[in-house]
Amino acid sequence: MAAEREFPLILPTNKIQIMSNNLLKGKKGIIFGALDEKSIAWRTALKCHEQGAELVLTNAPVALRMGTINQLAEKVNAPVIPADVVNQDDLKNLFEQAMKHFGGGVDFILHSIGMSLNVRKGKSYTEIDYGFNAKTLDISAMSLHRVLRTAWDMDAINEGGSVVALTYIAAQRVFPDYNEMADAKALLESVARSFGYHYGVKKKVRVNTVSQSPTRTTAGSGVKGFDGFVTYADKMSPLGNASADECADYCVTLFSDLTKKVTMQNLFHDGGFSTTGVSHAIIEMMEKGSQE
């Protein structure tokens, strides 16, 4: 019997390279909430551009004045269209202008919006101002419903499109100083599920939330004790905290055709924090503290 010949394993590296690039080639998307280069929306816009997408950037007029979004617009060759997410007319104009720019509908949307008046005013959860609270819920959660409703009415999202909204695990667990934003994120996730059902039936549009590790953004740093959130989560997570760029990469996969059957999910992108009871690093830290 003739001996079998051994051949070296040759991986088709050129094909692997092609598979990893241009995931969003030909796709068109709207990015809500890019404020500065620290923001996840900003990083996501850069990643989407790298992967071949065409973009429209938007934020509230006051945020546009505070941030540096025009620098991002130049980098990704995208127009900036102001829109207040609690104003239906603004959203209608946004989609009209975006569809005109693209010459058709949009394929993906990132909702990266959150604002708490009670946090800004230093009010604890047990003493929140209910008028402020209503505005927080409207801006941070119901704005997703408004965006989806406007797109629905205008038939603005293409068949098989994808919508992602950013959230945080405080929607499921108590983080005392996260305040009313925990309620807002819980409502945001509920809107994604409920509207996701209807949009899935109508046009196979996917709607998901990504529950990201605490990330050092301009908005996040306004939460009391935020540095403690970041350090604790990093010590708890087997893989460590997910960065803004890593979150952006994850969003790209959700906008791509690789996730056509993923919808109505709250997807944890947190290095394993959400399913870790306790870590050795935390135990060692606690034991060391008790000895001191």
Side-chain angles (χ1 to χ4, degrees):
M1 182 175 177
E4 293 184 1
R5 295 179 62 187
E6 294 184 1
F7 295 93
L9 178 62
I10 301 175
L11 296 176
T13 55
N14 59 323
K15 292 184 179 180
I16 293 174
Q17 186 68 21
I18 292 172
M19 289 280 289
S20 66
N21 290 330
N22 291 319
L23 285 177
L24 303 181
K25 186 176 182 180
K27 293 190 181 296
K28 301 167 177 61
I30 300 176
I31 303 290
F32 283 82
L35 180 64
D36 55 37
E37 61 183 7
K38 293 181 181 179
S39 69
I40 294 173
W42 185 293
R43 312 311 299 179
T44 302
L46 291 175
K47 295 285 187 175
C48 289
H49 177 67
E50 289 173 7
Q51 292 291 348
E54 295 179 49
L55 301 172
V56 161
L57 305 176
T58 185
N59 213 329
V62 63
L64 295 181
R65 292 193 296 270
M66 291 170 54
T68 54
I69 196 171
N70 288 329
Q71 295 177 18
L72 175 63
E74 291 181 10
K75 291 181 179 180
V76 300
N77 192 31
V80 178
I81 303 173
D84 186 337
V85 288
V86 299
N87 186 308
Q88 213 76 30
D89 290 335
D90 275 13
L91 290 174
K92 182 179 179 181
N93 177 68
L94 168 64
F95 279 106
E96 285 177 347
Q97 295 301 318
M99 293 170 74
K100 182 179 179 180
H101 173 72
F102 291 140
V106 302
D107 299 296
F108 64 88
I109 294 171
L110 176 70
H111 179 285
S112 180
I113 302 165
M115 190 279 292
S116 169
L117 285 172
N118 279 294
V119 170
R120 286 187 178 182
K121 299 294 184 180
K123 292 184 175 292
S124 71
Y125 187 76
T126 56
E127 61 176 19
I128 59 174
D129 178 288
Y130 296 113
F132 290 167
N133 182 247
K135 291 181 179 179
T136 295
L137 297 179
D138 201 13
I139 294 169
S140 305
M142 290 310 294
S143 60
L144 177 61
H145 193 288
R146 290 177 186 273
V147 168
L148 293 170
R149 161 77 182 278
T150 305
W152 174 283
D153 290 345
M154 298 176 67
D155 196 23
I157 303 179
N158 294 328
E159 184 90 10
S162 177
V163 179
V164 171
L166 299 182
T167 185
Y168 183 53
I169 196 173
Q172 287 84 34
R173 299 184 187 177
V174 175
F175 288 77
D177 293 324
Y178 201 65
N179 210 306
E180 63 179 348
M181 280 302 298
D183 298 339
K185 292 302 187 184
L187 178 56
L188 178 78
E189 292 172 17
S190 180
V191 169
R193 287 189 295 270
S194 297
F195 221 124
Y197 168 80
H198 294 288
Y199 233 140
V201 170
K202 182 179 183 179
K203 292 194 72 176
K204 307 300 180 187
V205 170
R206 297 159 278 157
V207 184
N208 295 289
T209 52
V210 169
S211 189
Q212 165 71 358
S213 297
T215 311
R216 297 185 191 279
T217 63
T218 300
S221 62
V223 177
K224 183 182 177 182
F226 190 75
D227 286 344
F229 284 21
V230 174
T231 302
Y232 174 72
D234 198 49
K235 288 183 177 295
M236 274 284 288
S237 307
L239 301 182
N241 286 337
S243 68
D245 278 325
E246 289 167 333
C247 185
D249 285 333
Y250 191 40
C251 289
V252 166
T253 68
L254 293 171
F255 295 148
S256 78
D257 291 337
L258 299 178
T259 51
K260 285 185 175 181
K261 290 298 190 292
V262 180
T263 193
M264 301 161 62
Q265 301 298 309
N266 181 46
L267 303 164
F268 289 100
H269 184 255
D270 59 7
F273 176 86
S274 52
T275 48
T276 301
V278 70
S279 68
H280 286 109
I282 292 295
I283 292 174
E284 290 170 4
M285 183 176 70
M286 298 301 292
E287 289 179 343
K288 182 180 178 181
S290 63
Q291 292 171 2
E292 293 175 351

